[in-house]
Amino acid sequence: MTLRAPTVAIVDDKSENLELLYRILEREGYGVHPYTSAIEALMAIAASPPDLILSDVYMPDMDGFDFCCHLKADPRTQAIPLLFISAFDDMGSKLRGFEVGGLDYITKPFQAMEILARVRTHLTLYGFQKQLQAERDRAERRTRLLQQELCAQLGNDPQLLFDLSARSPSKDLPLVPTDCEFSLAAGGGMGSVVALAASRAGLHFASGICSFGRGVGGN
């Protein structure tokens, strides 16, 4: 399977800056999307988010700081790394850039090697961030499936109470079993899987009905 090349959006009202950055990034194999208007860039980026954004600071229709604020307020674009590029290297501008959510601040005139090094670094970090989020999502899905299986097992017995709110999970063990542990437990049947999930979640049983805390009840 062919991997998709990372995409970089460039926002600068100066066409000469756009052309220079475009050539630098395209030679390295990046997909490059140039914009001379911050407002135009906002709409395009929301519709098709890139992997990284390079933005000028002072532009006529909207400055880079406001542009960044709009991006960070939109769930579709708030996680995209944004790097400011500006001819102004005063401390006030740099601090403002970091305050609104920029991850880096590159001063002009810039060098091609510097641009590429910073772009690679932030793309790598963003990739790790997305990988961690995907792993969290998988863990949450697995936990929900285990809960559903457990509720189905206990739902036929009106004398059992499954109370998630009575105890907090152990701080020494991860809430979600590892693949290895899950496979070993599955070999012993659903009862072993249920016991493993229950022990990891810090669960206990008492007389009553099957319950999953807020808003979920059993029979």
Side-chain angles (χ1 to χ4, degrees):
M1 182 178 66
T2 303
L3 295 177
R4 179 184 66 85
T7 55
V8 179
I10 312 170
V11 188
D12 197 316
D13 62 307
K14 300 292 193 300
S15 58
E16 58 270 24
N17 291 335
L18 283 179
E19 292 172 4
L20 177 58
L21 289 168
Y22 187 95
R23 289 197 301 270
I24 291 172
L25 294 168
E26 188 184 40
R27 280 199 300 263
E28 292 297 310
Y30 296 113
V32 186
H33 304 285
Y35 303 97
T36 56
S37 163
I39 295 175
E40 176 192 0
L42 277 177
M43 295 186 291
I45 288 171
S48 181
D51 297 301
L52 185 139
I53 301 167
L54 295 173
S55 174
D56 189 19
V57 171
Y58 297 104
M59 296 178 285
D61 59 344
M62 177 188 298
D63 69 37
F65 302 137
D66 287 340
F67 173 67
C68 185
C69 287
H70 281 286
L71 291 170
K72 298 306 176 184
D74 188 335
R76 297 170 296 178
T77 58
Q78 61 186 192
I80 302 173
L82 184 144
L83 285 60
F84 287 112
I85 298 178
S86 176
F88 296 88
D89 62 353
D90 60 285
M91 186 57 65
S93 295
K94 292 180 179 180
L95 291 176
R96 176 62 176 157
F98 290 121
E99 286 172 359
V100 298
L103 295 184
D104 213 336
Y105 194 102
I106 307 170
T107 55
K108 302 174 184 177
F110 48 79
Q111 301 296 320
M113 291 181 63
E114 179 187 10
I115 290 291
L116 292 174
R118 292 177 187 264
V119 166
R120 279 194 296 265
T121 296
H122 289 288
L123 283 173
T124 299
L125 292 174
Y126 186 43
F128 288 148
Q129 178 184 341
K130 291 193 292 186
Q131 182 180 350
L132 287 172
Q133 185 59 53
E135 290 174 356
R136 291 192 196 100
D137 293 342
R138 284 195 294 270
E140 290 175 1
R141 287 194 296 269
R142 185 185 299 177
T143 299
R144 285 195 296 269
L145 287 173
L146 288 172
Q147 289 174 342
Q148 292 167 6
E149 292 284 357
L150 186 53
C151 191
Q153 288 287 310
L154 301 177
N156 295 325
D157 190 340
Q159 299 303 310
L160 293 175
L161 172 64
F162 191 89
D163 188 0
L164 281 170
S165 63
R167 291 178 59 190
S168 61
S170 167
K171 295 181 180 179
D172 299 324
L173 294 172
L175 176 60
V176 180
T178 65
D179 291 338
C180 181
E181 291 171 327
F182 188 85
S183 298
L184 289 173
M190 180 52 68
S192 297
V193 174
V194 168
L196 175 61
S199 66
R200 281 302 172 84
L203 308 174
H204 74 285
F205 300 92
S207 62
I209 60 172
C210 175
S211 170
F212 276 105
R214 295 184 301 171
V216 183
N219 297 324

